Structure formats: structure tokens, C-alpha cells
Amino acid sequence: MQRPQLLPRMWNYPRLIAHRGGGTLAPENTLAALRCALAHGFRGVEFDVMGVAGGELVLMHDAELGRTVRGQGPVARLSATDLAAMDAGSWLDERWCGEPVPGFAQAAAFCVANGLWMNAEIKPAPGLEVATGRGVAQACRSLPAGSVLLSSFSVEALQAALAVAPDVPRALLVGELPADWRARLEALGAVALHARESGLDAARVASVKAAGFGLMAYTVNDSARARQLFAFGVDAVCTDRLDLIADRPPNA
């Protein structure tokens, strides 16, 4: 099978990225989180996109209700309208009581209007990997070029995104760096690797960069570690601590 042509791999995105929008400072995957990132001077955000009933897309990390949205059962059985009427904020603090679960289109429009670059992680509910990958990629086709990077732990979701929108850049999410990381990236036509920061050292970073791929480390919540990773050659770090990771490199 012919491998997909690689998109340009140069990292032209922000170097500091707010995890789930607002990290620990605002309820994750909400518009409040995106506003928090802006308030702290971040120009890039990461958030999770999940498919729900009717093929709609929302910002959500967990496949089951109960942690950030009260209730029980699979999130994917609800509609975006159902979720928008639920409280996704008070689990963190009562000041965000009533903060709704936003649709992906709503969040993307906010980001585009405010100059926030997006790392949209495709977070499919079990069994919906292909459908979610297709849906997210399709939704991204109408966004401005360079405004979004798709990522996922799910190879199936990324393959589906590639088939639908080959011009929307993709990144593979991993924990520890697998031995065949390069083959995986090339098979997906990916531009970058997103890896857990604890598994990265100077040699591993150098190998990824020597192969010509972008490299983002997650989730970096210590400023000294962020500086070390940048010194190794990492292109970007994703952080929960928007209040601590403030020693921004140029053009962050």
C-alpha cells in the first residue's frame, strides 16, 4: 500500500500550549478554559473532541459521565444539546456552576476569532474511532489553514482523518516512545509526535528531530523541566500550570 505524502513538518505552531484549555485553573474543555488561556497570554490550546449522538462533536475527555459532568452512563449516548444543558464547571469550583459542554464548532469559532491555535485531540468513545476521526477531520476542513493540528492515541481515528482531510496536519500521541515511532508517523503522514514528557531525554528528542518531525511534550508542569526540554530541542510543551510556565521562549 502506498504511504501518504508527508505534509511539511516544520513546527510553525506555538511553543507553549494550554492543556485542555485552562489546565488546572479553569474547568477543562470549556469556553471558560479557553478564556483562561487567553487571559494568561497563551496563544495555543489543546482540547479533546468526542463524537456523541447524531454524529455531533463536543469537547469532552471522559467517555463516561461522572467526573466533570454529573451523571452516569456513556457520554456518546447523549446529544450535543443534552450536554450543553449540563453543568461542566462546578466540579472544579462553584464559580463555574452552569458552565456548559461546548460543541466543537463553537470552541473552534472562539479560537479562530481570538487568534488561538488549536491542538484538537480526537478522543473517540470506544467503538467510534473511525466515525470520530472522520467527523473531526471533516469539521476542520473549513477552518483557516494552520489554525489546527489533529492528534490522537487512536491510529484508527488518525487514519480516518487522513482519508477525509489529508491537508489537515496530524500528530500521533504516545506514552513512552515506541521502537517503531518513525514507521508509525510515516504511515499516518503525520507531521509531529506528541510524547509523555517523563520518557523524553536528550537522545530521544534528538532522534525525533533528526528524522524531521515536530515534537511536543506533555504534560509539563515544572518550569525547570520545560526549560530542559526546550534545550533538548523539543518544539512545544503542553502544560496544566498556566500560572507557572510563564517564562516563554520567543514567539511563544
Side-chain angles (χ1 to χ4, degrees):
M1 186 170 101
Q2 186 176 3
R3 289 185 173 179
Q5 182 177 358
L6 291 174
L7 295 169
R9 297 174 183 164
M10 185 177 295
W11 188 270
N12 291 320
Y13 313 126
R15 283 163 54 94
L16 292 182
I17 300 165
H19 187 221
R20 302 184 192 174
T24 59
L25 303 183
E28 65 181 56
N29 289 315
T30 63
L31 294 186
L34 302 182
R35 290 191 292 268
C36 180
L38 276 176
H40 281 79
F42 278 69
R43 304 312 305 168
V45 292
E46 181 269 357
F47 50 70
D48 304 290
V49 186
M50 184 175 292
V52 294
E56 297 176 291
L57 301 170
V58 301
L59 269 56
M60 181 68 68
H61 180 274
D62 297 0
E64 297 283 328
L65 295 170
R67 184 176 66 87
T68 62
V69 179
R70 292 175 184 170
Q72 293 181 330
V75 171
R77 291 183 182 175
L78 301 173
S79 70
T81 301
D82 293 332
L83 288 160
M86 302 173 81
D87 175 10
S90 61
W91 66 273
L92 184 64
D93 193 286
E94 286 302 319
R95 72 186 125 154
W96 286 298
C97 182
E99 182 70 26
V101 176
F104 174 54
Q106 182 185 18
F110 177 91
C111 289
V112 170
N114 288 279
L116 273 176
W117 174 82
M118 294 167 275
N119 172 192
E121 180 182 342
I122 305 171
K123 184 72 73 170
L128 296 178
E129 291 81 5
V130 171
T132 307
R134 286 175 179 164
V136 176
Q138 183 66 43
C140 288
R141 292 181 65 180
S142 62
L143 297 178
S147 65
V148 63
L149 171 68
L150 300 179
S151 66
S152 189
F153 286 99
S154 170
V155 171
E156 287 181 280
L158 290 173
Q159 289 172 333
L162 167 63
V164 169
D167 293 334
V168 177
R170 296 162 301 285
L172 176 65
L173 266 162
V174 298
E176 297 297 317
L177 209 62
D180 62 345
W181 60 265
R182 183 167 185 168
R184 294 190 195 188
L185 292 174
E186 290 179 346
L188 290 167
V191 303
L193 182 70
H194 294 181
R196 184 182 297 127
E197 63 88 11
S198 60
L200 293 175
D201 56 21
R204 291 185 177 95
V205 172
S207 67
V208 175
K209 295 309 301 172
F213 293 96
L215 178 59
M216 185 182 83
Y218 72 89
T219 303
V220 184
N221 294 327
D222 177 83
S223 59
R225 177 61 169 160
R227 288 192 295 270
Q228 181 185 54
L229 288 165
F230 281 126
F232 289 163
V234 163
D235 292 296
V237 300
C238 188
T239 183
D240 283 320
R241 294 306 305 270
L242 281 62
D243 51 338
L244 293 183
I245 311 296
D247 46 343
R248 290 166 172 72
N251 301 317

